[in-house]
Amino acid sequence: MPGKALILVENLSVPFDRRVWQESTTLRDAGWEVHVICPQGTKRDTEAEALVDGVHIHRYPLKAATGGPAGYLQEYGSALWHTLRLARKVGPVDVVHACNPPDLLYLVAKVLKRRGARFVFDQHDLCPELYLSRFDRGQDLLYRGVCALERATYRAADVVISTNESYKQVARIRGGKKPEDVFVVRSAPVVERFKEVPAEPELKKGKPYLLAYLGVMGPQDGVDYALRALAKLRDEIGRTDWHAVFVGSGDAFDDMVALSAKLGLANQVEFTGRIPDEDLVRYLSTADVCLSPDPLNPLNDVSTMNKVMEYMAMSKPIVSFELREARVSAGDAAVYAPANDESAFAKLVSQLLDDPEERVRMGKLGQARVAGALSWENSAKNLLAAYEHAVKS
């Protein structure tokens, strides 16, 4: 029988974290009493406590890390203290469900395990690969510490939830988990959020075509690759018949705006920051080609990109670099440039702009994948199976 579940999140507020919100509402619909502990947002999700659609949300103030390792120690220390404080307030639970990064929430989970809870580790990111890809410091002392935290989290977990088969393999090989203790719960777009509306030509700023990027703008997300590819689209291919919009924010946002100006793209590239869903849908409905410029690195090659799934939900063709999990997600809904080759990326964008029939075909393929094999309905079944296994093991 369903019981009481506590979901722990550190890097995003809820319901803004779409995956965690989908998991929360799926568990609620299955009869679980669901509590979530997460940081407060800055512009939304600001209340310390909220009951949203039957899900109990407990939020704490958190200042994002700045200034290198010391900043992260301060952020994570504060997050752990608040999470443990709020977990005590929630009281006994049947399942504690910790979502990384960071791989530190197992410390709270171990406290709750001593009180009878089962621990489900929801591995959103491979933190060792994230460290290598984000900081470019190699396998130094901090990297070894990150690996140790991942091992400790795997050891403490009764069940591991992986976002794709690549992550599942890591849990089995590097984490030493039994196959029956690892469940793949793929992230999937909220279909209700991504419904096409009539295109608005004025969003193209007088150009025939609109290119779009949606997502986080961190050092490993490839926005710099996209901007350099757009400069090559202009300079090497000679195309200026496009306007580009970059929707989203992150700790590299200001650097990307500066890079756009340095490349002479300020008049053709628009940065919106985070915007309401209705405006996001307007841009994606108008876009002709969507960009997924994540470069090949240890993390990106094996990660499922939410933006790829969201582009497909909106029936948009995609240009991506050659990444293992990008192909698993998008299949023929995308075209793939050799890893990190910005000139090839630009050429593929140009080819799609010149082939409207191919753009339509790719868009339909992507939408069918999101509505079928990659739908949240399939992921929800695996999530509930993971919980059932956790409480019975």
Side-chain angles (χ1 to χ4, degrees):
M1 291 291 292
K4 186 175 179 181
L6 174 60
I7 302 178
L8 312 178
V9 193
E10 193 276 343
N11 64 333
L12 286 176
S13 64
V14 177
F16 180 71
D17 188 317
R18 299 290 179 175
R19 174 183 172 88
V20 173
W21 186 241
Q22 284 176 307
E23 291 174 327
S24 301
T25 54
T26 295
L27 292 166
R28 176 207 63 198
D29 291 345
W32 286 84
E33 177 186 337
V34 181
H35 293 255
V36 178
I37 296 176
C38 65
Q40 290 172 297
T42 53
K43 295 182 179 179
R44 55 178 293 179
D45 302 339
T46 56
E47 306 90 346
E49 289 196 27
L51 179 64
V52 183
D53 296 341
V55 176
H56 305 266
I57 305 176
H58 314 265
R59 305 190 184 104
Y60 55 86
L62 185 66
K63 183 179 179 181
T66 56
Y72 282 96
L73 285 174
Q74 183 177 3
E75 175 190 337
Y76 295 156
S78 174
L80 280 174
W81 184 84
H82 282 295
T83 300
L84 187 57
R85 172 180 62 85
L86 291 170
R88 286 172 176 152
K89 181 179 178 181
V90 171
V93 297
D94 298 287
V95 173
V96 54
H97 175 156
C99 308
N100 81 334
D103 286 340
L104 281 168
L105 294 175
Y106 84 95
L107 294 169
V108 179
K110 287 185 73 171
V111 172
L112 299 180
K113 283 190 72 173
R114 288 198 291 267
R115 301 173 186 171
R118 308 298 289 171
F119 175 26
V120 172
F121 173 37
D122 190 352
Q123 193 168 28
H124 293 187
D125 282 310
L126 300 177
C127 286
E129 283 79 0
L130 177 60
Y131 180 85
L132 291 174
S133 302
R134 186 180 180 90
F135 296 110
D136 195 28
R137 294 164 60 108
Q139 297 185 9
D140 61 0
L141 180 62
L142 282 174
Y143 169 80
R144 294 193 290 274
V146 169
C147 292
L149 289 173
E150 184 190 66
R151 288 194 298 271
T153 302
Y154 279 135
R155 282 197 302 269
D158 298 296
V159 166
V160 174
I161 288 176
S162 301
T163 57
N164 57 42
E165 292 291 339
S166 294
Y167 277 32
K168 181 177 180 178
Q169 285 296 101
V170 172
R172 291 179 57 189
I173 297 171
R174 195 161 78 199
K177 305 305 291 186
K178 297 177 182 177
E180 61 268 25
D181 293 334
V182 185
F183 293 77
V184 174
V185 179
R186 294 184 61 91
S187 295
V190 181
V191 176
E192 295 77 17
R193 183 188 181 209
F194 294 96
K195 289 189 180 293
E196 283 191 88
V197 298
E200 300 179 33
E202 59 269 25
L203 296 179
K204 300 183 179 185
K205 306 295 185 183
K207 300 291 185 177
Y209 303 111
L210 180 66
L211 310 176
Y213 172 92
L214 163 64
V216 176
M217 298 186 190
Q220 75 277 10
D221 293 305
V223 176
D224 52 336
Y225 284 81
L227 291 172
R228 289 191 294 267
L230 293 181
K232 293 178 185 295
L233 180 64
R234 176 196 61 197
D235 299 335
E236 295 180 1
I237 301 177
R239 297 194 74 141
T240 58
D241 56 350
W242 50 271
H243 180 71
V245 60
F246 285 73
V247 178
S249 188
D251 52 11
F253 180 86
D254 292 340
D255 290 340
M256 294 304 100
V257 174
L259 177 60
S260 176
K262 181 180 179 181
L263 293 170
L265 293 171
N267 292 331
Q268 279 192 268
V269 174
E270 175 183 359
F271 291 87
T272 68
R274 287 178 178 168
I275 57 178
D277 284 355
E278 54 268 28
D279 292 327
L280 165 64
V281 168
R282 289 170 56 229
Y283 279 111
L284 290 182
S285 296
T286 305
D288 298 286
V289 173
C290 287
L291 311 177
S292 185
D294 307 86
L296 176 65
N297 60 38
L299 178 68
N300 290 345
D301 194 40
V302 294
S303 296
T304 299
M305 304 301 172
N306 287 335
K307 59 179 162 286
V308 168
M309 307 295 293
E310 291 163 353
Y311 295 156
M312 292 194 294
M314 292 294 293
S315 301
K316 296 301 172 180
I318 303 161
V319 179
S320 170
F321 287 122
E322 185 65 69
L323 302 174
R324 186 194 320 174
E325 284 294 334
R327 275 198 179 271
V328 171
S329 295
D332 291 337
V335 289
Y336 305 90
N340 307 352
D341 186 332
E342 295 157 358
S343 293
F345 195 97
K347 289 177 183 177
L348 290 175
V349 171
S350 181
Q351 289 171 17
L352 284 180
L353 292 181
D354 288 335
D355 196 341
E357 291 182 358
E358 179 66 1
R359 297 202 305 268
V360 170
R361 185 190 73 85
M362 291 169 62
K364 288 180 177 178
L365 283 173
Q367 190 174 56
R369 289 175 67 79
V370 168
L374 303 182
S375 69
W376 178 252
E377 285 73 15
N378 289 329
S379 293
K381 295 174 184 176
N382 290 343
L383 172 65
L384 296 177
Y387 263 63
E388 182 178 3
H389 184 70
V391 297
K392 288 183 177 179
S393 60

